[in-house]
Amino acid sequence: MSSATKFHANSEAGELPARLRPASTHAAKMVGQAAGPFDVPADTGKASSLRDALVTGLLVIYPTVATVAAIVAGLFLTSANGT
């Protein structure tokens, strides 16, 4: 059975005990807090830059060039076998 006595763990004189907030209320977010790894960052309003375009281009072009080079090298090696 639970007891009805008040329990204050590690409380010092003059310190108010911690209180839980109801689940239906929303806690205010700190304005200056940076977004965490799973939070959506605030929209900064910046347009895409040249750096973004170059990185996207490399992510698209490099695998294509590497695939074509691997196919050409494979065809060259099979024809160099002599059969």
Side-chain angles (χ1 to χ4, degrees):
M1 293 290 172
S2 64
S3 84
T5 61
K6 290 185 179 181
F7 179 74
H8 297 286
N10 297 330
S11 65
E12 295 179 9
E15 183 181 345
L16 294 175
R19 304 211 183 236
L20 298 176
R21 63 177 174 81
S24 61
T25 61
H26 298 288
K29 238 184 174 180
M30 293 175 55
V31 176
Q33 183 178 10
F38 301 108
D39 293 335
V40 177
D43 187 21
T44 57
K46 289 176 32 180
S48 60
S49 64
L50 180 62
R51 178 183 175 268
D52 295 336
L54 288 174
V55 169
T56 303
L58 283 174
L59 289 173
V60 171
I61 292 171
Y62 177 74
T64 306
V65 171
T67 302
V68 170
I71 291 172
V72 169
L75 291 173
F76 176 75
L77 291 174
T78 56
S79 66
N81 191 13
T83 56

